[in-house]
Amino acid sequence: MNIEINGVTLQADFMDADFMEVLEPSINKMKEEINASKTMQGSVAARYRAMNQAVELFFDEVFGEGTSDSIFQGGKNVMVHLEAVAQIEEAQRAERKEFSNFSNKYTQRQSSFQSMQGYKKKEKGQLNRT
């Protein structure tokens, strides 16, 4: 799946085990660092820098070294950084929903088939019980 963030196209495959093996720990680490920066002592600017650094490290870990430079081009706006993460999470949610719909389609068919296996044809004058 292509995701465009600030004019940079990233490749993300949320259904690929190898990609998810990198994404999951990186996104969890980033969220922990962002939460920690919210309560750190110091100026607002220092907290914003810490959040930006966590986001930039996330993009470099998941999509390759230098990705954050391409996306943010040296900008330090914390909302731009957080919106970039939100775009990744939104793309992941959309792909997860598509997967869920697809997999439900087959699990529902299987349960319908299984319920039909217990069905016995009515004989004249009898109730249909299994």
Side-chain angles (χ1 to χ4, degrees), residues 2-64:
N2 288 336
I3 305 170
E4 188 171 320
I5 300 175
N6 298 335
V8 176
T9 302
L10 303 175
Q11 279 291 111
D13 188 350
F14 301 107
M15 296 296 117
D16 182 87
D18 291 338
F19 180 77
M20 292 305 294
E21 192 170 55
V22 174
L23 178 80
E24 286 179 318
S26 294
I27 206 162
N28 291 335
K29 183 172 105 180
M30 176 196 60
K31 287 178 179 181
E32 287 173 10
E33 290 173 3
I34 287 174
N35 285 332
S37 69
K38 290 178 183 178
T39 59
M40 70 184 258
Q41 298 297 317
S43 68
V44 171
R47 287 193 294 271
Y48 286 176
R49 280 191 185 90
M51 288 182 197
N52 288 345
Q53 186 177 17
V55 170
E56 290 170 5
L57 182 61
F58 162 76
F59 276 99
D60 287 343
E61 284 179 354
V62 174
F63 297 101

Side-chain angles (χ1 to χ4, degrees), residues 59-87:
F59 276 99
D60 287 343
E61 284 179 354
V62 174
F63 297 101
E65 194 66 38
T67 302
S68 63
D69 291 337
S70 297
I71 293 172
F72 304 113
Q73 298 179 358
K76 298 300 177 190
N77 184 303
V78 72
M79 283 305 297
V80 170
H81 280 66
L82 295 176
E83 286 170 356
V85 172
Q87 287 179 275

Side-chain angles (χ1 to χ4, degrees), residues 110-119:
Q110 182 181 10
S111 63
S112 295
F113 177 73
Q114 288 171 345
S115 66
M116 288 174 59
Q117 287 177 327
Y119 175 79

